Amino acid sequence: MIGTEEAERSVAQARRGKAGESPEPPRTTSLADSFAKAMEQRPPKPGRPVQAAKVDWVYRAPHQVFGRGGYSQVSNDFLSEVLAVLIARHGMSPAQSAVLVFCMGRQRKGRLKATHVAIAKHLGIERANVTRALGTLEGWHMLQRRSNSVIVVNPLICFKGNGDVQEETLAQLRADASAALRQHFPQMRDDEMKKAAEKEFPNFVPPKLPPPRSRQLAFGDDNDDLVVEGQAC
């Protein structure tokens, strides 16, 4: 005869399913299933009789990128109109370029945690060069240094995360700027505070681009397809 405890265990096991398996979650109907079912059962009434209806679900292939960390959304205008021109005209030093690209590549939701020493070791440059580069980039509103070795990359130029998360990050950064101004200038009027906060991080105004250093490319007079490389100054 089966004991009471053994019977209770049998009932509990039957409720869970097979031994060692977790119970299956309740099955839900997806929007795709509902749409397909509706198309199958309720063909359109007006017009000519429907002979056949078919629905194909085509999913986009995932991006293929180097590494396992995924990818960030980067502003094309920032890359082409600001960064590329600054590098080409020597308005940005190699150390500044390297530090910025490193931070853009390592950020998650606009933030990364890295000491100056760690960045210098990774890039193979002096720590003092990293510190100076971070100071210049911060002055350009490309990034901002925080306590505990946290660096915030301006979400308007590069961000890893969806648009909702980006909006939350931008709102928090702007609130931080307003709070810092209020702390230092408690008597400032609200309209002045708002105007001043708009000039703070993370709003991005590209730094003044230096003039062209030289005429890099020139077209030949006799042959429009001939490209002559000019001397660099």
Side-chain angles (χ1 to χ4, degrees):
M1 210 171 161
I2 300 177
T4 304
E5 294 182 0
E6 186 177 352
E8 291 177 351
R9 285 198 300 270
S10 300
V11 172
Q13 182 175 336
R15 289 176 179 174
R16 290 195 303 269
K18 294 182 179 179
E21 294 183 358
S22 58
E24 293 185 359
R27 186 176 183 84
T28 58
T29 303
S30 67
L31 180 62
D33 293 336
S34 300
F35 182 70
K37 188 175 181 180
M39 288 291 293
E40 179 182 356
Q41 294 182 354
R42 295 190 296 273
K45 294 181 179 179
R48 300 175 59 186
V50 177
Q51 181 177 358
K54 182 179 180 183
V55 178
D56 291 328
W57 304 100
V58 181
Y59 296 91
R60 290 182 177 177
H63 288 280
Q64 296 187 23
V65 294
F66 171 78
R68 301 178 61 185
Y71 63 95
S72 303
Q73 294 286 348
V74 184
S75 165
N76 287 343
D77 282 349
F78 173 76
L79 292 177
S80 61
E81 306 301 324
V82 179
L83 185 59
V85 179
L86 282 173
I87 294 174
R89 300 182 184 180
H90 292 196
M92 178 180 280
S93 70
Q96 293 164 358
S97 307
V99 170
L100 176 62
V101 173
F102 170 85
C103 293
M104 291 171 67
R106 287 291 180 90
Q107 58 84 23
R108 300 293 183 270
K109 298 182 181 179
R111 295 172 180 263
L112 69 147
K113 189 170 184 178
T115 63
H116 297 192
V117 174
I119 297 175
K121 184 177 180 181
H122 181 82
L123 298 178
I125 59 179
E126 296 292 331
R127 177 190 178 279
N129 290 337
V130 172
T131 302
R132 285 193 292 268
L134 287 171
T136 302
L137 295 169
E138 188 170 21
W140 288 341
H141 282 200
M142 294 182 183
L143 51 81
Q144 188 181 74
R145 291 173 289 186
R146 297 288 181 91
S147 59
N148 298 324
S149 302
V150 173
I151 300 173
V152 181
V153 178
N154 194 324
L156 296 176
I157 65 175
C158 178
F159 190 79
K160 182 175 182 182
N162 61 41
D164 292 336
V165 177
Q166 184 195 35
E167 287 296 327
E168 293 173 2
T169 303
L170 285 168
Q172 184 60 55
L173 291 173
R174 287 164 179 156
D176 291 345
S178 297
L181 287 169
R182 178 61 69 189
Q183 181 179 2
H184 289 86
F185 306 100
Q187 304 302 325
M188 184 180 292
R189 297 201 318 264
D190 291 341
D191 58 336
E192 294 177 345
M193 179 71 64
K194 183 179 180 181
K195 187 181 297 184
E198 289 176 351
K199 298 179 181 178
E200 297 294 327
F201 188 83
N203 290 333
F204 179 67
V205 178
K208 185 178 180 180
L209 300 176
R213 300 185 73 249
S214 64
R215 187 180 179 187
Q216 297 293 336
L217 297 176
F219 290 97
D221 294 333
D222 299 332
N223 187 352
D224 291 340
D225 295 331
L226 177 63
V227 179
V228 180
E229 191 171 347
Q231 282 188 333
C233 297

